[in-house]
Structure formats: C-alpha cells, structure tokens
Amino acid sequence: MHIATDFTWHSRIEGRMTSDMEERWLKGLYQHPRKQGSFLRNSPLNYYRPKALKLMEEIFDGTLERKKQESVYVGLKRERGTIDVKGKIRHPFQITSRRAQSQITKVNDYLLVMGLGIVNEFYSLDGTPVEDLFTKRMLRAFATKWKPRSRDAAARICSMHEQSGEAII
C-alpha cells in the first residue's frame, strides 16, 4: 500500500516517470523485504525502540522473510541461495504458535491503529482511495476477530478513543 501510494504521489507531483524508473517501482512490489521495510517505516507504532530496531534488522538481513516463508511453505533449508537437498523437510507446523501469533498481531495492530487514526482524522495517507477502505465496520471486525494486542497498540487505541470521545472498537 505504501509503495503504491508513493508511486501515485510522485507521478502526480513530478509527472510520468521514465519507463526504467516505473519498472523499478513495479519490481519493488514483488520484493518482500522492501514491502516489509515500507510497512515498518510507515507504521504509527514504530518509535525506533529496540524492538522496532530488531525488526528492522530482521527485515534487511532477510530473517523476517525467511521466518515468513518457513511459516507458510513446506520445503528444504536454503543457505546463500542453494537448497540443501539432503536436509530435513521443513513444514509450517514447526513454527511455534507464539511466533505465528506475534506476526499476525503486528499486522492487525498496524491496521487497527492506522485505521482508527484515519477514521478519527489523527492520520492521513496520500491516497484517498486507500483511506476510504478503512471503515468503522472493518475496524470492528479486525478488533473482534483477533483479540491479542501489543501494549503499544492498546495504549495508542485507548488514547485515540479518549481524544475522539468515541469508542469505535
């Protein structure tokens, strides 16, 4: 979302990019570490504290992408681009429920905090169509379907409720 809105904003402000630049932007949509980095940089929950710095390090050294791949796909271990064909087969059941819950909670926290911020006009995005996707109904669904929250997200949500005078979730 953030990469796409950046692309749209730059195109509106600076005009059409060269085909080489457009191709690089589009390729970026398929590079998971780039999307993960954009997610972290644009998150209202990112305060550059040790946890966020650790997550940033995991994004840029490829650890987060490897964790994601291991939690979704069955496969063999990879080391520096080569596949260990004699190694044990990994499968998603090997990841802990705590690690899976942590990853889901990060994304859900982001959606709740960003969405509440947009609905209550604490935050805005450059792309109005994206802002229109955040509705009170959608936020209630995110809040009720996934209960775990980080302390930072819970505090931010509470603060927005107090400031807006309206409890959305």
Side-chain angles (χ1 to χ4, degrees):
M1 173 188 74
H2 293 291
I3 293 170
T5 56
D6 276 351
F7 179 84
T8 305
W9 185 85
H10 283 285
S11 296
R12 264 195 327 251
I13 301 301
E14 299 165 0
R16 184 82 188 246
M17 295 179 188
T18 65
S19 59
D20 284 349
M21 271 302 274
E22 280 186 6
E23 190 174 322
R24 278 192 272 164
W25 274 90
L26 290 172
K27 282 182 180 176
L29 294 173
Y30 294 90
Q31 297 169 347
H32 293 280
R34 184 168 178 209
K35 290 189 286 189
Q36 293 161 347
S38 180
F39 172 87
L40 184 63
R41 280 189 307 279
N42 289 285
S43 174
L45 297 169
N46 179 14
Y47 302 111
Y48 295 97
R49 287 194 226 148
K51 275 186 177 179
L53 292 174
K54 182 180 183 299
L55 182 58
M56 193 175 296
E57 187 177 305
E58 285 186 355
I59 288 169
F60 293 110
D61 73 8
T63 302
L64 183 63
E65 181 59 19
R66 190 172 57 257
K67 284 179 181 178
K68 185 194 83 173
Q69 294 290 329
E70 289 172 0
S71 67
V72 176
Y73 300 108
V74 172
L76 295 167
K77 185 177 179 181
R78 289 176 177 240
E79 189 79 30
R80 297 182 186 173
T82 60
I83 300 169
D84 180 5
V85 294
K86 294 181 181 181
K88 287 184 177 180
I89 294 176
R90 286 185 284 93
H91 57 83
F93 299 124
Q94 290 173 314
I95 70 156
T96 65
S97 59
R98 183 177 178 167
R99 189 164 108 190
Q101 179 176 322
S102 171
Q103 290 182 353
I104 294 167
T105 300
K106 282 180 181 118
V107 174
N108 200 61
D109 283 355
Y110 169 86
L111 291 169
L112 283 173
V113 171
M114 181 62 85
L116 273 172
I118 288 170
V119 166
N120 289 301
E121 299 180 352
F122 295 113
Y123 305 131
S124 68
L125 298 170
D126 292 330
T128 308
V130 174
E131 287 183 354
D132 294 342
L133 295 173
F134 289 100
T135 64
K136 291 179 183 181
R137 182 177 176 195
M138 181 199 76
L139 295 171
R140 279 190 206 101
F142 282 129
T144 57
K145 303 244 187 241
W146 189 258
K147 297 287 185 187
R149 305 249 185 296
S150 68
R151 274 186 267 192
D152 288 343
R156 185 66 67 96
I157 289 166
C158 183
S159 174
M160 282 192 274
H161 283 318
E162 289 172 0
Q163 291 178 35
S164 72
E166 179 182 357
I168 294 174
I169 56 172

